[in-house]
């Protein structure tokens, strides 16, 4: 069964038909060719697919595209504005928070959500906030530092 | 002059990844592309009576369905790339690994049919309509049980399920004679459990056949595109190699699991010609659990003897190594030449023997996983040493110091010749352990441990390891059974404007080659980093390559790049000499220009490169152009080493283990980019600690993988770790131009036994004298250890 949906992604509104069972992540990747959002599992465990829906980080493999009807979605492609990196992107680069880069978009989307709710998280709070995001490359060490970098940067520019 | 080498230059590749512009295989879309889904066996061992695809073939969107019987007999399957024969000289048993099963399945996940449709969902839906009639047979999953009389056979023509048996070192009689002189013998039976590599990007492959050029393209999530091309063309499909392009685009982690030539790669290439459309196959995570080659899986008995002074006098090890249902590309090398050869460790042990039986079982294939054999060797040695220290009531750090091989640099002092077929390049082992002890605050820790009285048990565990990396000297590995060379190639193309493109046969899937290699080239050529581009992963642009694994990229691939850069500079000197009207011998090259020694007459690299492509005023007889190729075959392996220390706290009530601190001091030779090396260490540590505490594939007796998803397999998460405390010493490699040894695997090799040793130490200090807590050390297992 096809559903008509209208979703705003990174500021652009897309209207079209999707099959009822299409996941938001597949909609983003296949229909909109926004391949920065990744699929790392089939059990909603890894967080590679994390995006923001109406300002909150969610795993886009746990949501149907049809459920996003009327919502505003931000993906990694929408993180930077006017060619300027978002502080979290800068943090990941400066602190070597990524290696293969596969988990990175999801990590950054989770991290920005964390920083929105807790501008100055402790190391333990950061580690706990990343519970639902797997990284096999970095051992998380530099991901923590990247998020701390971003927190600091956002505090000084806020 | 080093402007870049040794500096933590931020990675040039990051930009595309942090902006969502990375291009992994599954991100690639090709016009008219179809999608494949592979129907897999739900049984570990069964005869296939029939496969009925009639209903599936008529389902929505289905383009084609192929089963094993559709594939020509001539295509026998994917080959093994390493031959290890039986002790008695009999040839290794190497049964075919077909692209799709014809009559029998040998592990859960073995492929039955490939369903190709317009969308992945259609392919998946249709696969559910395929009817397969199986006769289910008994299975065997444990390599030791597989060797028993009457065990179910994985391959009818492989008696006792044995792929080969193998032995290395001193004769067993000599080892047991030495063992008999020992005043103390420590013996341990343990399992080095099966690991699932779990690169975050699931495997993916796109096959494309272009009728216009009669040419195939394979995009695949691989660590070594050229090797895949060679194996697939020459040994699987019998298609001419020059008619195939293999691209390993951005790859989301490998850790070994993406080295191997997988059946899906050959399947999509073969089928793309059959159907005349491109085909994409992307693994689900559940499929990845069932089919990405696993790691480790050894059952070992080992004995170490000590004299009254605590000097090791002998080591004997027996291992059953699980190969799974088929021999994967490098599988035979892992428990043998990457494991047995490392059992000298850092110690002067005079007599060593290792005996390995490689067994087929009804499980997924096992092959190289980060460290590959070397973690198993380190685990064996380091568990024995800490346990021996506990049993002999001596200090584990002192016990190691007593047994360390004295320092040697490989230049003034010869490389150390081991009892197990290697010659170490250079080593200086005391300083790493001393530094680690200093970082941990050893004496203070022991006092704190003794005073602990809060219902928690504190423990400290050590591991001082060595690894053989920079894989590998071709002739040496050839003699040991490798069916390929293990050199590396590089090409430096100099543009007329003096900009440089470097084509490397190494493949980056997270290691940061685009930055590290550029640092090497920019420094060597004295040009800005921005003027250097590193290109990898495409067999149409990179002349040849052996890929990335075994911590080889910088040591071998980097050395090939240095060689080609030197050739460029050598030719450039001739052009410069002509322009400066001097002899090439009188020139020196620094900071991007050739200067006539003792004068201020000079010519820059850019002028020389322009002259090479606009050769109006040019040396007679010299070819135009300034591109250079080089192949580098290393003289030896490299031997990084280090000392790892874990501190744990056990909750006596629950058995829960908290990793409080982890200290790693590694020596990986010279370091080009410290930030990247640190990152490699961090990642390796997490995998090694993950093995000790959390991870492990579990097959039940019927051959079902009972924890084949992230709901069941415990992946390490951010809050499982403290921040790591790391440092390094530098003992340069004497035999490669960069003096580097490789850093990719160190963390995973050293860390695992340190954590287990720490738990055992905590238990002993708490009065529970257990020898072992099986990995992963779940609270239940630790709690049980306290009840015995
Ligand atoms: S793909 Fe969504 S959580 Fe793994
Ligand atoms: S950077 Fe590779 S999985 Fe996180």
């Amino acid at each position: 069964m096809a559903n008509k949906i209208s979703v705003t992604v990174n500021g652009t509104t897309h209207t079209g038909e999707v099959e009822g069972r299409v996941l938001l992540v597949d909609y983003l990747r296949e229909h909109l060719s926004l391949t920065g959002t990744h699929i790392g599992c089939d059990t909603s465990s890894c967080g590679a697919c994390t995006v923001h829906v109406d300002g909150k980080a969610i795993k886009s493999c746990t949501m149907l595209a049809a459920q996003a009807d009327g919502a505003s979605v931000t993906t990694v492609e929408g993180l930077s504005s006017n060619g300027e990196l978002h502080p979290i992107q800068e943090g990941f680069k400066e602190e070597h928070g990524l290696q293969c880069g596969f988990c990175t978009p999801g990590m950054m989307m989770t991290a920005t959500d964390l920083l929105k709710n807790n501008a100055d998280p402790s190391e333990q709070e950061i580690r706990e906030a990343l519970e639902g995001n797997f990284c096999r490359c970095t051992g998380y060490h530099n991901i923590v530092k990247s998020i701390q970098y971003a927190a600091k940067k956002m505090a000084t520019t806020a | 002059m080093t402007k870049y080498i040794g500096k933590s230059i931020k990675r040039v590749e990051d930009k595309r990844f942090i902006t969502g512009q990375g291009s992994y295989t599954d991100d690639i879309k090709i016009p008219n592309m179809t999608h494949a889904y592979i129907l897999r066996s739900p049984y570990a061992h069964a005869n296939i009576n029939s496969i009925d695809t009639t209903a599936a073939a008529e389902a929505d969107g289905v383009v084609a369905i192929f089963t094993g019987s559709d594939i020509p007999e001539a295509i026998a399957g994917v080959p093994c790339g390493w031959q290890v024969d039986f002790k008695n000289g009999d040839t290794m048993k190497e049964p075919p690994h077909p692209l799709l099963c014809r009559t029998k399945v040998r592990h859960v996940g073995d492929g039955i049919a490939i369903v190709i449709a317009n969308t992945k969902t259609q392919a998946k839906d249709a696969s559910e309509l395929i009817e397969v009639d199986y006769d289910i047979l008994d299975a065997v999953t444990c390599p030791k049980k597989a060797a028993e009389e009457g065990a179910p056979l994985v391959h009818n023509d492989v008696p006792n399920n044995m792929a080969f048996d193998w032995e290395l070192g001193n004769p067993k009689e000599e080892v047991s004679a030495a063992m008999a002189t020992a005043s103390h013998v420590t013996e341990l039976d343990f399992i080095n459990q099966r690991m699932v590599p779990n690169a975050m990007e699931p495997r993916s492959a796109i096959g494309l056949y272009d009728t216009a050029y009669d040419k195939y393209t394979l995009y695949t999530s691989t660590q070594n595109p050229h090797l895949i091309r060679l194996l697939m063309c020459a040994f699987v499909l019998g298609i001419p190699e020059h008619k195939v392009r293999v691209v390993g685009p951005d790859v989301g982690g490998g850790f070994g699991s993406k080295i191997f030539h997988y059946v899906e790669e050959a399947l999509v290439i073969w089928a793309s010609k059959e159907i005349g459309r491109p085909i994409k196959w992307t693994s689900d995570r559940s499929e990845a659990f069932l089919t990405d080659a696993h790691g480790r899986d050894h059952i070992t008995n080992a004995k170490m003897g000590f004299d009254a002074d605590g000097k090791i006098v002998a080591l004997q090890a027996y291992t059953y190594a699980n190969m799974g249902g088929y021999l994967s590309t490098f599988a035979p090398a892992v428990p043998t030449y990457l494991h047995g050869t490392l059992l000298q460790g850092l110690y002067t042990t005079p007599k060593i023997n290792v005996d390995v039986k490689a067994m087929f079982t009804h499980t997924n294939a096992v092959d190289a996983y980060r460290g590959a054999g070397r973690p198993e060797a380190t685990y064996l040695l380091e568990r024995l040493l800490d346990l021996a220290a506990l049993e002999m009531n001596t200090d584990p750090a002192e016990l190691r110091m007593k047994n360390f091989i004295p320092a040697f640099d490989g230049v003034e002092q010869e490389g150390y010749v081991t009892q197990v077929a290697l010659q170490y390049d250079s080593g200086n082992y005391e300083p790493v352990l001393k530094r680690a002890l200093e970082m941990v605050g050893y004496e203070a820790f022991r006092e704190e441990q003794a005073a602990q009285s809060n219902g928690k048990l504190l423990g400290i565990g050590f591991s001082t390891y060595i690894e053989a990396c920079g894989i590998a000297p071709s002739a040496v590995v050839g003699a040991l059974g490798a069916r390929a060379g293990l050199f590396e190639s590089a090409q430096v193309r100099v543009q007329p404007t003096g900009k440089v493109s470097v084509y490397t046969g190494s493949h980056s899937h997270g290691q940061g080659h685009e930055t590290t290699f550029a640092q090497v080239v920019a420094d060597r050529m004295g040009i800005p980093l921005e003027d250097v581009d590193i290109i990898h992963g495409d067999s149409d642009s990179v002349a040849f390559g052996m890929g990335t694994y075994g911590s080889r990229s910088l040591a071998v691939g980097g050395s090939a790049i240095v060689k080609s850069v030197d050739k460029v500079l050598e030719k450039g000197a001739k052009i410069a000499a002509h322009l400066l009207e001097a002899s090439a011998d009188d020139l020196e090259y620094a900071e991007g220009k050739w200067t006539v020694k003792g004068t201020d007459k000079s010519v820059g690299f850019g002028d020389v490169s322009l002259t090479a492509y606009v050769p109006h005023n040019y040396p007679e007889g010299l070819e135009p152009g300034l591109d250079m190729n080089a192949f580098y075959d290393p003289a030896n392996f490299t031997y990084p080493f280090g000392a790892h220390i874990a501190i744990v706290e056990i909750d006596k009530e629950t058995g829960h283990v908290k990793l409080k601190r982890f200290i790693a001091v590694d020596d990986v030779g010279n370091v080009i980019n410290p930030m990247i090396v640190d990152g490699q260490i961090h990642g390796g540590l997490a995998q090694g600690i993950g093995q000790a505490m959390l991870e492990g594939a579990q097959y039940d007796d019927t051959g079902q993988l009972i924890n084949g998803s992230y709901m069941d397999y415990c992946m390490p998460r951010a809050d499982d770790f403290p921040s790591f405390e790391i440092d390094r010493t530098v003992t340069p490699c004497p035999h490669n131009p960069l003096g580097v040894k490789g850093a990719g695997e160190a963390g995973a090799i050293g860390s695992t036994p340190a954590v287990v040793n720490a738990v055992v130490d905590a238990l002993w200090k708490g009065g529970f004298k257990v020898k072992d807590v099986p990995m992963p050390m779940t609270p239940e297992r630790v709690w049980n250890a306290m009840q015995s």
Side-chain angles (χ1 to χ4, degrees):
Chain A
M1 201 191 72
N3 296 53
K4 190 154 191 268
I5 61 165
S6 172
V7 191
T8 304
V9 182
N10 303 331
T12 308
T13 304
H14 301 269
T15 307
E17 299 226 322
V18 291
E19 222 187 314
R21 60 174 165 172
V22 171
L23 300 172
L24 178 59
V25 66
D26 290 319
Y27 177 71
L28 294 169
R29 289 180 54 81
E30 303 299 331
H31 294 238
L32 305 185
S33 291
L34 291 169
T35 54
T37 303
H38 298 147
I39 303 173
C41 72
D42 41 20
T43 49
S44 292
S45 312
C46 76
C49 63
T50 308
V51 300
H52 293 176
V53 175
D54 292 331
K56 278 181 69 172
I58 62 116
K59 292 178 174 176
S60 61
C61 73
T62 61
M63 187 172 182
L64 296 168
Q67 290 175 293
D69 184 28
S72 167
V73 176
T74 307
T75 68
V76 62
E77 289 92 344
L79 258 188
S80 53
S81 49
N82 311 323
E84 283 236 349
L85 292 181
H86 185 284
I88 195 71
Q89 292 172 309
E90 200 184 305
F92 270 73
K93 183 175 167 80
E94 289 299 315
E95 298 292 345
H96 189 30
L98 65 149
Q99 290 181 25
C100 78
F102 196 79
C103 70
T104 315
M107 285 286 177
M108 294 192 304
M109 299 316 280
T110 299
T112 45
D113 195 34
L114 164 70
L115 295 179
K116 207 168 80 184
N117 298 313
N118 181 354
D120 184 23
S122 67
E123 175 177 342
Q124 193 52 32
E125 285 170 333
I126 294 174
R127 289 185 180 271
E128 279 166 18
L130 298 179
E131 263 275 320
N133 289 74
F134 296 169
C135 174
R136 195 56 152 172
C137 297
T138 63
Y140 305 100
H141 184 108
N142 284 343
I143 291 180
V144 172
K145 285 176 37 187
S146 304
I147 297 171
Q148 289 168 334
Y149 177 103
K152 221 186 230 161
K153 171 102 190 214
M154 286 161 83
T156 54
T157 54
Chain B
M1 175 210 59
T2 62
K3 194 164 156 206
Y4 300 111
I5 288 178
K7 303 236 164 71
S8 290
I9 306 285
K10 307 300 174 209
R11 300 202 319 172
V12 298
E13 46 271 82
D14 283 354
K15 190 174 162 216
R16 67 178 184 272
F17 296 121
I18 56 180
T19 53
Q21 297 179 92
S23 179
Y24 303 89
T25 303
D26 190 57
D27 299 341
I28 296 168
K29 284 185 181 161
I30 292 167
N32 207 24
M33 186 167 76
T34 62
H35 297 262
Y37 183 76
I38 295 173
L39 179 71
R40 299 184 181 279
S41 169
Y43 305 112
H45 190 200
N47 286 324
I48 303 169
N49 294 327
S50 63
I51 305 173
D52 184 354
T53 60
T54 338
E58 279 160 20
D60 264 4
V62 170
V63 177
I65 300 176
F66 299 106
T67 65
S69 59
D70 297 315
I71 294 171
E73 289 283 336
I75 302 175
V78 290
C80 178
W82 201 299
Q83 182 175 335
V84 177
D85 290 334
F86 283 80
K87 281 183 212 174
N88 68 6
D90 286 359
T91 313
M92 175 176 86
K93 299 289 183 200
E94 199 178 348
H97 183 183
L99 302 193
L100 293 169
C101 301
R102 292 190 176 98
T103 55
K104 202 176 209 198
V105 295
R106 293 185 170 85
H107 66 93
V108 173
D110 225 354
I112 301 289
I114 180 168
V115 182
I116 301 160
N118 289 320
T119 69
K120 185 168 177 178
T121 324
Q122 288 169 335
K124 236 175 175 173
D125 286 350
S127 75
E128 286 178 16
L129 302 173
I130 297 178
E131 281 183 36
V132 189
D133 182 25
Y134 297 99
D135 266 343
I136 304 165
L137 304 167
D138 284 345
V140 63
T141 59
C142 163
K144 208 166 170 181
K145 286 192 187 147
E148 286 169 8
E149 262 310 299
L153 288 184
V154 182
H155 300 273
N156 289 340
D157 50 355
V158 179
N160 308 316
N161 291 314
M162 197 181 287
F164 57 87
D165 65 355
W166 176 90
E167 195 178 328
L168 184 72
N170 311 103
K172 283 203 179 97
E173 314 76 68
E174 287 182 21
V175 175
S176 47
M179 197 74 79
T181 68
S183 67
H184 180 84
V185 174
T186 291
E187 181 169 5
L188 187 64
D189 285 292
F190 63 88
I191 293 176
N192 200 305
Q193 85 274 31
R194 181 183 282 242
M195 298 288 288
V196 182
N198 275 308
M200 290 315 302
E201 178 212 16
R203 285 191 296 118
S204 180
I206 302 173
L208 165 68
Y209 174 68
D210 183 341
T211 44
Y213 292 89
D214 188 25
K215 190 162 177 179
Y216 299 85
T217 303
L218 172 69
Y219 294 91
T220 179
S221 49
T222 186
Q223 301 177 214
N224 51 351
H226 292 84
L227 196 63
I228 301 304
R229 183 177 67 165
L230 172 64
L231 292 172
M232 184 174 73
C233 293
F235 300 97
V236 185
L237 298 178
I239 48 182
E241 210 178 340
H242 65 297
K243 289 293 188 187
V244 178
R245 172 185 176 207
V246 177
V247 186
D250 286 329
V251 172
F255 317 111
S257 69
K258 292 172 182 168
I259 301 172
F260 323 119
H261 180 31
Y262 285 96
V263 292
E264 294 86 0
E265 293 166 326
L267 264 180
V268 294
I269 281 292
W270 173 78
S272 70
K273 185 172 183 185
E274 294 293 310
I275 68 164
R277 287 174 68 183
I279 304 169
K280 180 194 278 180
W281 168 81
T282 299
S283 167
D284 290 340
R285 180 57 58 186
S286 314
E287 272 182 291
F289 269 100
L290 296 175
T291 65
D292 291 4
H294 293 166
R296 320 282 189 254
D297 209 346
H298 285 190
I299 299 181
T300 296
N301 166 273
K303 259 195 230 178
M304 191 180 262
F306 297 83
D307 69 14
D309 295 330
K311 291 279 276 183
I312 308 170
V313 294
L315 173 74
Q316 176 68 59
Y318 293 95
T319 289
Y320 286 88
N322 200 338
M323 299 278 101
Y326 305 101
L327 289 182
S328 174
T329 314
F330 279 168
V334 177
T336 54
Y337 294 105
L338 293 173
H339 168 248
T341 50
L342 272 302
L343 289 177
Q344 187 82 49
L346 301 180
Y347 317 112
T348 52
T349 314
K351 296 289 174 196
I352 302 170
N353 179 277
V354 47
D355 183 295
V356 176
K357 293 179 171 59
M359 307 304 301
F360 288 109
T361 62
H362 294 103
T363 62
N364 182 41
V366 179
D367 204 326
Y369 165 60
R370 201 169 196 168
R374 290 150 292 169
E376 295 91 315
T378 302
Y379 191 78
L380 190 161
L381 291 173
E382 299 307 306
R383 286 298 326 282
L384 283 174
L385 269 159
D386 264 29
L387 183 60
L390 288 169
E391 289 176 350
M392 298 191 287
N393 198 20
T394 174
D395 184 274
E398 271 170 37
L399 184 64
R400 286 180 170 79
M401 298 279 193
K402 207 174 272 181
N403 283 286
F404 278 157
I405 295 162
F408 57 100
D409 62 9
V411 182
E412 298 291 314
Q413 304 93 19
E414 282 273 288
Y416 185 82
V417 179
T418 73
Q419 302 301 311
V420 274
L422 298 178
Q423 182 168 23
Y424 294 166
D425 58 348
S426 58
N428 189 7
Y429 306 136
E430 267 189 30
V432 286
L433 181 52
K434 285 200 171 137
R435 176 71 188 123
L437 289 170
E438 196 178 284
M439 285 165 73
V440 90
Y442 190 42
E443 280 170 32
F445 171 81
R446 286 296 190 191
E447 282 163 24
E448 186 192 343
Q449 184 185 30
Q452 183 87 344
S453 62
N454 59 354
K456 306 267 166 90
L457 300 175
L458 264 183
I460 188 166
F462 293 83
S463 163
T464 48
Y465 71 90
I466 189 160
E467 41 174 341
C469 295
I471 288 175
S474 295
V476 174
V477 292
L480 304 180
R483 290 167 172 167
L486 284 169
F487 55 83
E488 194 47 276
S489 102
Q491 184 186 33
V492 174
R493 291 189 205 162
V494 180
Q495 270 68 261
T497 51
K499 309 291 182 200
V500 174
S501 306
V502 179
Y503 295 77
T504 171
S506 298
H507 183 281
S508 180
H509 29 281
Q511 294 87 343
H513 295 166
E514 290 165 43
T515 308
T516 303
F517 289 178
Q519 288 176 253
V520 169
V521 173
D523 260 1
R524 197 116 181 148
M525 301 186 91
I527 59 177
L529 191 79
E530 301 73 55
D531 286 1
V532 182
D533 211 12
I534 305 294
I535 296 128
H536 63 92
D538 185 341
S539 71
D540 260 11
S541 55
V542 179
F544 198 73
M546 294 306 298
T548 287
Y549 39 83
S551 306
R552 68 191 303 271
S553 295
L554 191 57
V556 188
S559 297
I561 291 175
V562 167
K563 244 179 115 175
S564 17
V565 165
D566 288 352
K567 286 186 184 177
V568 167
L569 294 179
E570 209 177 297
K571 182 171 180 184
K574 290 183 189 152
I575 302 170
H578 180 83
L579 294 176
L580 292 167
E581 295 176 342
S583 145
D585 294 340
D586 294 335
L587 301 185
E588 58 190 4
Y589 187 74
E591 290 181 35
K593 59 183 187 218
W594 283 273
T595 307
V596 182
K597 283 179 208 157
T599 74
D600 58 0
K601 274 176 67 181
S602 69
V603 57
F605 182 74
D607 291 324
V608 167
S609 64
L610 190 64
T611 307
Y613 289 93
V614 188
H616 295 164
N617 174 19
Y618 204 65
E620 221 181 284
L622 193 69
E623 278 177 39
L626 202 50
D627 294 352
M628 287 292 171
N629 273 327
F631 283 76
Y632 177 83
D633 202 353
N636 190 359
F637 292 88
T638 61
Y639 296 90
F641 55 90
H644 290 185
I645 299 178
I647 291 187
V648 300
E649 186 179 75
I650 301 175
D651 184 331
K652 268 208 254 183
E653 299 294 310
T654 63
H656 180 262
V657 177
K658 183 177 161 64
L659 180 64
K660 292 190 70 175
R661 293 176 69 192
F662 199 94
I663 290 97
V665 180
D666 300 284
D667 191 320
V668 297
N670 289 338
V671 169
I672 306 297
N673 186 317
M675 175 190 83
I676 289 178
V677 169
D678 289 352
Q680 288 295 308
I681 301 293
H682 296 151
L685 292 179
Q687 279 172 301
I689 297 166
Q691 175 171 18
M693 299 186 59
L694 306 164
E695 302 179 49
Q698 284 172 275
Y699 281 96
D700 71 10
D701 287 343
T702 68
Q704 292 296 329
L705 179 62
I706 55 175
N707 60 347
S709 88
Y710 286 154
M711 307 294 279
D712 308 291
Y713 184 98
C714 191
M715 281 287 280
R717 292 164 165 80
D719 60 356
D720 291 317
F721 303 107
S723 274
F724 303 123
E725 301 164 57
I726 68 176
D727 199 0
R728 64 175 75 80
T729 62
V730 175
T731 307
C733 170
H735 64 74
N736 67 46
L738 294 166
V740 298
K741 292 193 173 188
E745 296 163 295
I749 290 171
S751 57
T752 312
V755 182
V756 180
N757 285 338
V759 168
V760 173
D761 179 61
L763 292 172
W764 276 61
K765 301 291 149 66
F768 308 104
K769 301 206 166 176
V770 298
K771 284 183 153 193
D772 187 33
V773 178
M775 299 188 290
M777 299 180 295
T778 56
E780 186 197 359
R781 286 174 170 176
V782 176
W783 191 85
N784 277 332
M786 290 187 286
Q787 310 314 307
S788 50

